[in-house]
Structure formats: C-alpha cells, structure tokens
Amino acid sequence: MDRSNSVNRREIHTTNSTKRIQEEQEVQSVERIFESKQVSSWESQLTLRAFFVSLLLGILFTFIVMKLNLTTGIIPSLNVSAGLLGFFFVKTWTKFLDKSGVLKQPFTRQENTVIQTCVVATSGIAFSGGFGSYLFGMSEVIAKQSTEANAADNVKNPSLGWMITFLLVVSFLGLFSVVPLRKIMIIDFKLIYPSGTATAHLINSFHTPQGAKLAKKQVKTLGKFFTFSFLWGFFQWFFTGGDGCGFGSFPTLGLKAYENRFYFDFSATYVGVGMICPYLVNVSLLVGAILSWGIMWPLIEDRKGHWYPADQSPTSLHGIQGYRVFIAIAMILGDGLYNFIKVLGRTLYGIYCQFREKKAGLVLPVGAPRASPAEASLSYDDQIRTELFLKDQIPTWVAIVGYVSIAIISMITLPHIFHQLKWYYIVVIYIFTPALAFCNAYGTGLTDWSLASTYGKLAIFTIGAWAGASHGGVLAGLAACGVMMNVVTTASDLTQDFKTGYMTLASPRSMFISQMIGTAMGCVISPCVFWLFYKAFHDLGIPGSEYPAPYALVYRNMSILGVEGFSALPKNCLTLCYIFFIGAIAINALRDALGKNKAKYIPLPMAMAIPFYLGSYFAIDMCIGSLILFIWTKINKAKADAFGPAVASGLICGDGIWTLPSSILALSGVNPPICMKFLSRKDNIRVDKFMHPKAR
C-alpha cells in the first residue's frame, strides 16, 4: 500500500466539490471575508473538544483504513471527510452551548484545521504502520505462504506490546526532520500541495454562512448513506455462516467468471472508494484484471506440468501463485523506480530554479515563467497568511534536539525488538532519512505524489542484502522498510498540514502539536485495531479469505528477492518479470510524453498491478462507483459535485465501522446463522443425492 502502496493514498484526493469551491473562492479575497474575525492564539486553537472529536473520528477512520489495508490496499484520502465531520460535530456542540448561553469559545476554522490534522495523523499510522504490508509480512502466517526464508530468524509474529513500542519509536522522527524547512517549502518555494490546498479551501468555505449551510446538507447525506452501508453490512453478515458463503460470493457474471475472480461482491466500501478515485484509476484496475485473470493466468495454467509441477498447491510460490505475486512486484517496482527518478529529478531541478531565481531577487512557484515584479508581489491573502505563519516560530533547536534524542532512543530500542536490525544499520538509515524526508515532502508539494513506499522498498533491498540470508536479512529488511516509511510519510504529511494551516491561518505550532498528538494516538489505536482483526479473523492473511492482506506477501517476497535473489521463481517467471518491469517504465514514459490530455486514456501501471494478485472483484465494485458518479454528473453536475464525496464517505464509513461489531461477534464466538452458497446445476444434483439418498 503505497499513502502509494497501491495507488498513492495522496493521489486519490481532490474531488470535484473541492475544485469547485476553490474556483469560487479565487474570485474574491478569502481573508477579506474573515477580516472581522480575530485569529485566536495558538494555545486557544488546541481545545479539549477538538482532541476529543479527533479521538472519536481517529478510531472510526482507523477501522476504515485498516479494513482497506487488509483487503486490497487502495486507500482514498480521508482529509475531506475528516474536515467535514469535525466541523459538524463541534459546530453542533457549540450551537447547543450557544443556545444554552454557556459557550465560552466559538468554533473557528483554525480549530477545524487542528481536528482535521489530528484525525488524518491518527488514521495515517494505520497505513504507515505496515499492518497490511511490511509488519504483517514478518508473521508466520505470511512466511508459510512464501516457503523461502521462513526460518525462525526471519519470522516475528504480531504482539501488541512490540508493535506499539516500535511505532512510538519511529513515527516522530519525520515530524522533527522537516520542521526547520517549513518556511522554505511554504513561503519561499510556494509549493502547491494540492491535497492540503483543497482541504484548506474546503475548511474556509465551511466557516462562511453559505458553506456552513452546504456542509449541513452534506453531513445529512453522509449520515443517510452511513446508516444504509452499516445496515447493509449487518444484513450480509447473516448469510456468511461458512467459507465461500454470502453475497460476497455471488457469481454475478457466471460461475466460470467467478472462478477467475470476476464478480461483483456487493461491497459498499469499494463502491464508495470508486466514487472518490479518479476514473483512470478504476479503469486501470479493470484493465489489469482482464490482462491477468482474463488472459495471462488461464494461459499459464494450461502449461501446468511444463512450467511448474502439476501437483503444486494453488497458493505455492513455486506454482501459479509465483507468477501472480512476482509479476505484480515487477510492475510495482518498475512504476516506483520511474516515478522516483522523475520526482527526484523534478525536485532537484525545482530547487535549482528556486535558488537561481532567489539570487535574481525573485521567489517564484516551481516551473513558472519569469514574472514581473508586480506579478511577483504578494496578494492581500498571502500577506496576512505569511505574517501569521511566521509569527509562531518553532525553534530549530527543538527540531534538532528532538530528532537526535529520538534517533538515540530508537538505536537502543529497535535492536531489542528486532535483533536482526543492528544499531549501525539504524545509524545509516537516520543519516540519510532527513534528506529523503525533504525530497518526499518537496516532491509531494510539486506532484501530490508521496513516494514513501518506494523509499521503504529501497530500505528493504539495501538493508536486507547487507544483513544477508544467514543473519535474518528478510526480517531486517522489513523492519528497515518500516523505519524508512514512517519517517518519510510523516514528513510529507506534516508539510501538507502546514500548507492547510497556512491557508486557514492556523498556527504552525498548533499544527505541529496536533500532528504530534494525532501520531501518538495512532501509535496506540492502530495496533489495537489490528490486534482486534488478528484475533477475530483466524484466516487473516490467507489468500481467498475476507482479509487476505495481499501486500504482506508482496513485501515479504521483495525482501526475499533482496536477500536470496531469484531462486524462488518458477520457470519463465523471471522473463515475464523483466517484460512487465520494462513495460511499467515504458507506459509511464509514454504517459509523460503525450501530455495530460492524452495521458488520461493510458492506464496507470501501479493500479494495473494490484488485481494481478487479488483478482477483479473490487475493481468491478469501484468501476460501478465510477459509473454511478458519471451518470449522476450527467444528470445534475452541481449536485454530484457537492454531494458525491459525502455519499462516497458515507458508504465507506458505514461499512468500515461495521467491522467493529463483526469483530466483537467473532471474538465472542457468535457465528452467522445462514450459509448462502451458489453451486452449478451438476453440483447441486450431487448435493441433493447426498442429502436425500432415499428420495433418489
């Protein structure tokens, strides 16, 4: 799961409604609208009610992200939902207090920004914590599936204690690493940060009379679809009393298509995700599914006995599963390498341009043509925002002391959690991570594309190969991936939040503290939620189960490749891997060469790779979500733009929160009473003969 593990969590972001709001607000000065409202001090922006609401929403969104992590790994941005629900809860509470005459502090857009920041930081740990990727990839469940390098030295089963400790040790470094660079990123370089900018426009709009009225309607819509989605999940549960039972196993396109994982599984979550994701992402998923499960895998299965032993288990990496996993890895690595080089190149060129223009007396947006002094002067909004952004400085010594202190603590602590991860490996990682964190934060500001998982894979291969197979290199690589991913993810997240805070006049201090508190909450909440899944669903991580955690096996096999080479691959698999690795690079290059207008017709390799391993069922769900939004847009574009994200969020949140009671029921030993299963006519006759032998 890349925040890109599949399709970058930050890529699935700017909805039509936020674009519309941004366009409307560009017509007039935003800060003139709020001119009569005094900006509260940074201490006043950090309220108890804000963090209470953040805790509740953080738990809700952690369940959602965890479920997505453990099913397909496609995680949409929840910034808009966090901002909207945070506004609704606190606004309702303050309105009640105001009518009672006991309201002491009004609800401001700065407090709204604090809530959004804290919620996203909390739920973000469910992604960067690796519960569906590197961390779960260490477990015995996943190790048994890979058959290679599954000795005790390369296996570590989940435990609540060490998971919380690990996250607390590694999740804060990224925050301290970019604090000294916030002025350069936001003020000097004027980086765009599209997700942060869109969220800021949305929050600003909520706190105008018209925006508040629209937000109220949006929340009402979200509530309706939340209720529907929750009740639909509850209804489906009654029919899942066995393996392969329930609506999720309905062969909607026929039994033969079902065998090749082509079916609609009635998931409200992925219909909602499809409504949020760009059309190109959903179409790319479907193209990848047709290419793999519709064409390639049936052809390779016809070569059973020639390319791989006929008696191999369908889940063995020495059989058909090996082609599925390693070709998907090849595409992910090809896409990641291309985008890493592209974004790094743009980053370095952008920095060069910035400093060149600064020497000439101008500070311009990256890639913009030379402007006149009048054009380069700050607008009224930017003057106000810059003044307040620079008012509450976070001392550089705080960042340096914080980074060094946490680095020392982690160098002492991590080798006790993973004895394979030596202290000098950690020293090397922490020497390079500030530069990589800066590159990721800068690249995200330019492209809205976080390369956290790419940096994590870099750590897998380098540290894993350094440690070696005989010294637990597989586990060392996965642990190093976790360290790297957490640092660079939190760094880009914080700079996104600084951009949001800059545009809503929230203090950098309140942003930093909110991110710290949200991260701390996430370090405890996410392992607890994962532990609930782990204990409640005994087939967690098993292919074909409700929660297959596909990226756990992918990440483990990347680590095995880094340590042991290609010995685990079946016949001709390496050749196919080379073809798809080069193909992913070529497709990306073609997309860039053709430009934005034509690139929207060319699929994304990263998205195409996901169904290679999982199948197409979720891609069909997401395409149906896209189709619903497309038809709605054709019928009434204004309503679709305004309420589409609310409908999608309701579907995702309702189905996501249903996992809490379903987990509790599973832990309590309460099983669904009915098994609804679908058989062919021939199998049904055989079952009837077995059940009623005398009647026959």
Side-chain angles (χ1 to χ4, degrees), residues 272 276 350 420 513 596:
I276 294 177
Q420 301 88 343
I513 293 171
K596 286 186 178 180

Side-chain angles (χ1 to χ4, degrees), residues 571-607:
K571 187 178 179 181
N572 294 321
C573 185
L574 183 59
T575 303
L576 290 171
C577 286
Y578 284 143
I579 292 170
F580 279 89
F581 178 85
I582 295 168
I585 294 173
I587 291 171
N588 275 307
L590 182 63
R591 284 173 51 80
D592 287 339
L594 292 177
K596 286 186 178 180
N597 291 332
K598 293 181 180 178
K600 62 186 178 184
Y601 299 109
I602 300 174
L604 299 163
M606 181 71 78

Side-chain angles (χ1 to χ4, degrees), residues 22 75 136 147 206 214 224 269 298 362 372 400 402 407 416 443 461 479 495 583 589 609 616 677 683:
Q22 182 175 347
I75 305 168
F136 193 37
T147 68
F206 287 161
L214 177 62
K224 285 180 183 177
T269 294
L362 297 172
S372 67
I400 295 171
H416 288 285
F461 289 115
T495 47
S616 69
K677 209 159 193 171
D683 287 340

Side-chain angles (χ1 to χ4, degrees), residues 44 52 151-152 165 171 209 213 267 279 293 313 322 342 520 630 662 677:
S44 301
F52 178 72
T165 305
S171 296
K213 189 176 179 181
S267 168
Y279 296 126
W293 291 88
S313 164
K342 182 180 79 172
F630 178 77
S662 67
K677 209 159 193 171

Side-chain angles (χ1 to χ4, degrees), residues 173-400:
L173 277 162
L175 304 181
F176 289 104
S177 65
V178 295
V179 163
L181 303 171
R182 69 197 179 283
K183 178 180 177 292
I184 295 172
M185 301 284 201
I186 308 299
I187 305 295
D188 296 343
F189 290 176
K190 299 185 185 298
L191 296 177
I192 301 166
Y193 290 102
S195 289
T197 299
T199 305
H201 280 297
L202 197 74
I203 290 173
N204 282 335
S205 75
F206 287 161
H207 292 267
T208 62
Q210 298 83 359
K213 189 176 179 181
L214 177 62
K216 188 176 180 180
K217 291 179 181 177
Q218 288 173 326
V219 170
K220 191 175 180 181
T221 303
L222 189 151
K224 285 180 183 177
F225 282 89
F226 176 94
T227 305
F228 164 76
S229 180
F230 183 87
L231 292 176
W232 174 240
F234 179 48
F235 174 73
Q236 287 191 84
W237 175 81
F238 283 97
F239 301 93
T240 56
D243 293 335
C245 300
F247 285 90
S249 301
F250 194 108
T252 42
L253 302 175
L255 287 167
K256 189 66 179 174
Y258 178 80
E259 288 175 10
N260 286 294
R261 304 192 188 182
F262 282 91
Y263 58 95
F264 174 62
D265 76 341
F266 296 89
S267 168
T269 294
Y270 282 102
V271 172
V273 171
M275 293 179 71
I276 294 177
C277 287
Y279 296 126
L280 182 59
V281 171
N282 300 330
V283 172
S284 299
L285 290 167
L286 192 58
V287 169
I290 293 169
L291 176 62
S292 56
W293 291 88
I295 300 172
M296 288 180 59
W297 304 157
L299 290 174
I300 291 174
E301 283 183 326
D302 287 344
R303 286 156 179 76
K304 185 189 297 183
H306 298 287
W307 283 19
Y308 61 94
D311 58 351
Q312 281 288 352
S313 164
T315 60
S316 170
L317 290 180
H318 295 289
I320 186 67
Q321 189 77 338
Y323 296 95
R324 295 170 184 165
V325 172
F326 288 109
I327 292 174
I329 289 173
M331 289 189 72
I332 291 168
L333 291 177
D335 186 274
L337 177 65
Y338 179 87
N339 283 292
F340 172 74
I341 293 171
K342 182 180 79 172
V343 174
L344 183 62
R346 287 187 62 183
T347 299
L348 295 175
Y349 180 72
I351 294 169
Y352 165 74
C353 289
Q354 291 290 348
F355 283 111
R356 186 184 63 185
E357 296 295 345
K358 196 168 184 180
K359 285 181 180 179
L362 297 172
V363 180
L364 302 174
V366 174
R370 183 177 293 276
S372 67
E375 292 172 328
S377 62
L378 292 176
S379 66
Y380 174 78
D381 282 2
D382 281 337
Q383 287 176 27
I384 299 296
R385 290 166 178 171
T386 301
E387 180 184 343
L388 285 169
F389 189 77
L390 298 177
K391 179 183 173 184
D392 295 325
Q393 295 289 333
I394 303 168
T396 303
W397 68 265
V398 171
I400 295 171

Side-chain angles (χ1 to χ4, degrees), residues 477-553:
L478 291 170
C481 172
V483 175
M484 184 71 79
M485 273 187 66
N486 274 281
V487 173
V488 297
T489 298
T490 51
S492 62
D493 288 353
L494 181 58
T495 47
Q496 284 270 18
D497 293 329
F498 276 146
K499 182 67 174 185
T500 305
Y502 169 78
M503 297 186 67
T504 59
L505 302 190
S507 167
R509 287 189 185 181
S510 65
M511 290 289 91
F512 182 71
I513 293 171
S514 176
Q515 184 89 13
M516 290 277 286
I517 292 173
T519 301
M521 290 196 298
C523 289
V524 177
I525 293 170
S526 290
C528 290
V529 171
F530 174 74
W531 193 247
L532 187 64
F533 277 86
Y534 187 66
K535 289 296 182 182
F537 303 101
H538 299 295
D539 58 354
L540 184 72
I542 303 298
S545 67
E546 186 178 359
Y547 298 105
Y551 276 99
L553 183 59

